[in-house]
Amino acid sequence: MTAKRKMQAKGAQVIGAMKEVVGRATHHRKLQAEGKAEKAAGHGLGASEKAKDAVRKRWP
Protein backbone atom coordinates (compact mmCIF):
# COMPACT_ATOMS: atom_id res chain seq x y z
CA MET A 1 0.00 0.00 0.00
CA THR A 2 1.42 3.33 -0.94
CA ALA A 3 1.93 5.65 1.97
CA LYS A 4 -0.08 8.44 0.35
CA ARG A 5 -3.15 6.26 -0.27
CA LYS A 6 -2.84 4.72 3.20
CA MET A 7 -2.88 8.16 4.82
CA GLN A 8 -5.82 9.23 2.66
CA ALA A 9 -7.79 6.18 3.76
CA LYS A 10 -7.01 6.68 7.45
CA GLY A 11 -7.71 10.40 7.18
CA ALA A 12 -11.12 9.76 5.64
CA GLN A 13 -11.91 7.27 8.38
CA VAL A 14 -10.93 9.66 11.16
CA ILE A 15 -12.70 12.68 9.68
CA GLY A 16 -15.78 10.57 9.01
CA ALA A 17 -15.83 9.28 12.57
CA MET A 18 -15.52 12.83 13.93
CA LYS A 19 -18.35 14.10 11.71
CA GLU A 20 -20.50 11.18 12.81
CA VAL A 21 -19.91 11.87 16.51
CA VAL A 22 -20.51 15.61 16.15
CA GLY A 23 -23.67 14.95 14.15
CA ARG A 24 -24.92 12.54 16.79
CA ALA A 25 -24.14 14.98 19.61
CA THR A 26 -25.86 17.92 17.91
CA HIS A 27 -28.74 15.84 16.50
CA HIS A 28 -27.73 16.91 13.00
CA ARG A 29 -28.74 13.92 10.89
CA LYS A 30 -27.18 15.17 7.65
CA LEU A 31 -23.76 15.62 9.26
CA GLN A 32 -24.04 12.22 10.89
CA ALA A 33 -24.87 10.60 7.53
CA GLU A 34 -21.97 12.41 5.82
CA GLY A 35 -19.66 11.08 8.51
CA LYS A 36 -20.84 7.51 8.03
CA ALA A 37 -20.41 7.79 4.27
CA GLU A 38 -16.92 9.27 4.54
CA LYS A 39 -15.87 6.64 7.04
CA ALA A 40 -17.16 3.87 4.77
CA ALA A 41 -15.32 5.39 1.81
CA GLY A 42 -12.11 5.36 3.83
CA HIS A 43 -12.60 1.69 4.66
CA GLY A 44 -13.24 0.93 0.99
CA LEU A 45 -10.13 2.78 -0.11
CA GLY A 46 -8.04 0.90 2.41
CA ALA A 47 -9.49 -2.45 1.33
CA SER A 48 -8.80 -1.76 -2.33
CA GLU A 49 -5.20 -0.86 -1.57
CA LYS A 50 -4.76 -4.06 0.45
CA ALA A 51 -6.13 -6.07 -2.48
CA LYS A 52 -3.68 -4.35 -4.85
CA ASP A 53 -0.82 -5.21 -2.50
CA ALA A 54 -1.91 -8.85 -2.37
CA VAL A 55 -1.91 -9.04 -6.18
CA ARG A 56 1.49 -7.36 -6.40
CA LYS A 57 2.96 -9.92 -4.00
CA ARG A 58 1.69 -12.81 -6.14
CA TRP A 59 3.04 -11.48 -9.45
CA PRO A 60 6.38 -9.72 -9.09
Side-chain angles (χ1 to χ4, degrees), residues 10-46:
K10 287 294 180 185
Q13 290 172 13
V14 169
I15 291 170
M18 289 184 345
K19 280 185 180 179
E20 189 177 355
V21 169
V22 170
R24 193 177 308 136
T26 60
H27 302 290
H28 194 272
R29 291 178 186 248
K30 185 177 178 183
L31 186 61
Q32 187 176 0
E34 284 177 13
K36 282 184 181 181
E38 196 166 345
K39 192 163 99 175
H43 285 294
L45 182 62

